Amino acid sequence: MSHRLVILGAGESGIGAAILGKQQGYEVFVSDGGAIKEQYRKDLLDNAIDFEEKQHTAEKILSADEVMKSPGIPEKNEMVKQIRTKGIPVISEIELAYRFKSDSKIVAITGSNGKSTTTSLIWHICRTEGWDCALVGNIGYSFARQVAENPKPLYVAEISSFQLDDIKTFRPDIAVLLNITEDHLDRYDYRFENYIHSKFRIIENQGAGDYFIYCADDDVIIRHLENLTLNTNSLPFSMKQEIKKGGSIKGDQMMIRVQEERVSMSIYDFALKGKHNQYNTMAAGIAAATLGIRKEKIREAVKTFESLEHRMEHVATVRGVEFINDSKATNVNSTWYALESMSKPTILILGGVDKGNDYTLIEDLVKEKVKAIVCMGTDNQKIHEAFASIVPSITDTATAEEAVQTAFQLAAKGDIVLLSPACASFDLFKNYEDRGDQFKQAVRDL
């Protein structure tokens, strides 16, 4: 009897799941409420997968044995409610990929901030060691597509809370939890507890042979751990205390201890700068040591890593004004990290789709470092209310070009213009990459 798998959403994860499902003999149907991108439509046609777009046909969807819901679709979606009411099992794409990964290993990284950087760094360390591994999840290919088209012995996966919401058996060999700060609360009934629970699902299926790497300086993580019984091996990392098994930074020295292997190196040798990146580098180093990568290769990789596009990316210096693209900062905490690493007067470009932001988190840093704010969004009222009394100049703009030109006029030689919006980008842009690309183009056009 055939297993009918219906996939809601035809983005990267939906298409990956469709290709893998078809390959494994499922009867697959893909439904997207919007238009499907040309490349993804081609993938569906090439694989002879049945699909619909700009609509959800209830009878085709509700006849499913199982539904794979794309991470971008919220529970309050009408179709999702009907699926839930009918009691059809809902899984996420990483759950499907996990079913068919055979005996390969998974390192899974989650957290509110620093996921992409840490995931990329772990992958870079593995590649430096000469391993055949894939970078998957929220970054690069979807996990399911990789398993279907080019399986590897090791997957380094960036995992979001949305992807963890619908797992059943997904179990990484090594789970990394970087930090938990208020984000995406609009998807969790505005209850921080729900979001925390979601992040911790990364370890819910782990057992005695698995590892859990987490930040011991994160109060939210530590509080939640007090009420949990762990079935996995803990490897904490900290800058505030000495860690016997895990990682710590004391003075300017990072020390990682896993099993017998010890790795030490100076933080001045890290390719990634800023305190938050010291945490990310520790986490990546512990994961690599746990995989059994040689310490000299870990050191070499940490020194040679190049940071990601749209994450604290230096764009250009124009007449003494430096422009930095941190478009990937889609929440207030990301912007906090960006401001924390600023050492010169800063013109801050903020705004977009607010996800329930609490701007008081960055108030002190804004007071200390920001001389002007340029808003780039359709609704900037909340930003004005939060900072009107502490920043002398707040200007509204409607495009990346206008924002860059306004910021440049407000800047003096030696200043920094920082795009770190603290918001999602969907009001004016396709996504944060599009926002970052338009910002960079506007800087080049100055």
Side-chain angles (χ1 to χ4, degrees):
M1 183 148 135
S2 78
H3 180 95
R4 182 165 167 82
L5 175 69
V6 168
I7 288 162
L8 281 194
E12 179 57 38
S13 62
I15 298 302
I19 292 169
L20 179 60
K22 177 79 192 253
Q23 188 193 73
Q24 297 298 331
Y26 291 173
E27 179 199 332
V28 179
F29 177 65
V30 177
S31 175
D32 196 307
I36 297 176
K37 277 188 192 162
E38 200 45 56
Q39 180 53 49
Y40 293 145
R41 181 182 293 126
K42 186 179 180 314
D43 285 334
L44 292 167
L45 294 169
D46 289 350
N47 288 279
I49 294 166
D50 192 17
F51 69 92
E52 66 177 359
E53 58 185 324
K54 298 181 187 167
Q55 62 181 12
H56 289 311
T57 308
E59 53 271 29
K60 286 188 177 181
I61 292 167
L62 298 174
S63 62
D65 295 308
E66 196 170 44
V67 170
M68 195 300 288
K69 176 172 83 66
S70 291
I73 301 171
E75 282 295 317
K76 54 179 183 264
N77 175 288
E78 228 14 80
M79 203 65 242
V80 176
K81 282 185 190 163
Q82 288 183 51
I83 292 162
R84 295 284 187 199
T85 304
K86 206 172 167 202
I88 301 167
V90 175
I91 60 166
S92 66
E93 172 254 331
I94 59 170
E95 176 68 26
L96 185 71
Y98 182 78
R99 262 179 216 172
F100 302 108
K101 70 159 184 77
S102 66
D103 56 359
S104 54
K105 282 192 138 177
I106 300 170
V107 182
I109 299 92
T110 197
S112 303
N113 296 296
K115 287 191 294 291
S116 299
T117 299
T118 306
T119 306
S120 303
L121 179 52
I122 294 170
W123 180 72
H124 175 66
I125 298 171
C126 294
R127 291 289 300 266
T128 303
E129 178 74 353
W131 287 5
D132 184 22
C133 56
L135 183 68
V136 297
N138 254 3
I139 184 170
Y141 272 164
S142 68
F143 187 11
R145 185 194 283 264
Q146 188 75 46
V147 170
E149 294 180 349
N150 187 7
K152 299 283 187 190
L154 174 68
Y155 299 100
V156 184
E158 179 190 323
I159 307 284
S160 72
S161 58
F162 300 161
Q163 289 168 306
L164 290 166
D165 285 337
D166 294 304
I167 62 166
K168 306 279 187 283
T169 60
F170 175 77
R171 189 191 114 221
D173 301 86
I174 299 172
V176 181
L177 177 55
L178 296 166
N179 45 55
I180 301 180
T181 56
E182 296 196 1
D183 193 12
H184 300 299
L185 295 191
D186 49 337
R187 281 282 289 266
Y188 293 101
D189 302 326
Y190 294 94
R191 286 191 54 210
F192 191 28
E193 271 312 304
N194 296 351
Y195 175 64
I196 296 167
H197 176 71
S198 208
K199 285 290 188 197
F200 266 93
R201 292 198 65 187
I202 198 163
I203 58 168
E204 77 178 14
N205 297 315
Q206 281 197 316
D210 301 320
Y211 293 90
F212 176 39
I213 298 167
Y214 64 88
C215 180
D217 298 346
D218 188 298
D219 295 340
V220 177
I221 294 176
I222 297 307
R223 272 204 309 276
H224 197 78
L225 279 174
E226 285 166 4
N227 308 316
L228 279 187
T229 311
L230 292 179
N231 308 317
T232 176
N233 297 291
S234 291
L235 293 170
F237 56 92
S238 170
M239 288 191 201
K240 296 177 179 171
Q241 51 183 304
E242 196 111 351
I243 302 278
K244 287 200 169 45
K245 216 172 161 193
S248 51
I249 289 177
K250 199 174 174 189
D252 59 5
Q253 282 296 313
M254 173 176 77
M255 174 62 86
I256 289 169
R257 298 185 187 89
V258 178
Q259 287 116 3
E260 299 311 301
E261 186 78 336
R262 292 179 170 212
V263 185
S264 65
M265 71 184 286
S266 163
I267 59 171
Y268 300 117
D269 289 335
F270 292 5
L272 293 168
K273 303 302 176 204
K275 194 172 159 190
H276 57 294
N277 278 323
Q278 293 173 14
Y279 280 115
N280 296 339
T281 303
M282 260 195 291
I286 298 166
T290 309
L291 286 166
I293 292 175
R294 292 168 296 170
K295 56 186 172 192
E296 52 275 19
K297 289 295 176 188
I298 295 175
R299 281 199 206 100
E300 181 191 328
V302 166
K303 285 179 183 174
T304 56
F305 182 69
E306 289 177 11
S307 65
L308 302 172
E309 194 180 11
H310 310 300
R311 167 56 83 218
M312 294 302 287
E313 175 194 10
H314 168 83
V315 181
T317 302
V318 184
R319 279 178 251 152
V321 178
E322 186 184 357
F323 288 83
I324 294 175
N325 167 26
D326 193 36
S327 181
K328 200 168 188 305
T330 58
N331 60 45
V332 177
N333 275 80
S334 286
T335 301
W336 186 93
Y337 288 124
L339 285 171
E340 189 223 15
S341 60
M342 291 295 111
S343 53
K344 296 171 180 172
T346 302
I347 288 93
L348 176 62
I349 301 177
L350 271 183
V353 181
D354 185 303
K355 297 181 283 186
N357 285 352
D358 176 6
Y359 289 111
T360 56
L361 290 168
I362 55 171
E363 219 167 66
D364 291 347
L365 281 170
V366 167
K367 223 178 257 178
E368 183 193 335
K369 303 189 175 200
V370 174
K371 59 187 256 187
I373 288 175
V374 175
C375 301
M376 186 169 70
T378 49
D379 180 12
N380 306 315
Q381 189 187 345
K382 211 166 151 186
I383 297 170
H384 282 273
E385 286 167 1
F387 301 113
S389 61
I390 55 175
V391 177
S393 164
I394 302 180
T395 318
D396 290 329
T397 62
T399 64
E401 189 181 13
E402 194 188 344
V404 166
Q405 286 172 352
T406 304
F408 189 48
Q409 282 160 8
L410 290 164
K413 197 175 172 182
D415 289 354
I416 289 177
V417 172
L418 170 67
L419 167 70
S420 189
C423 297
S425 52
F426 308 122
D427 55 347
L428 299 173
F429 306 96
K430 290 202 277 283
N431 47 35
Y432 76 80
E433 291 99 337
D434 177 38
R435 174 167 66 190
D437 289 338
Q438 289 198 35
F439 172 78
K440 291 195 285 186
Q441 191 52 53
V443 172
R444 290 186 202 109
D445 290 343
L446 283 173

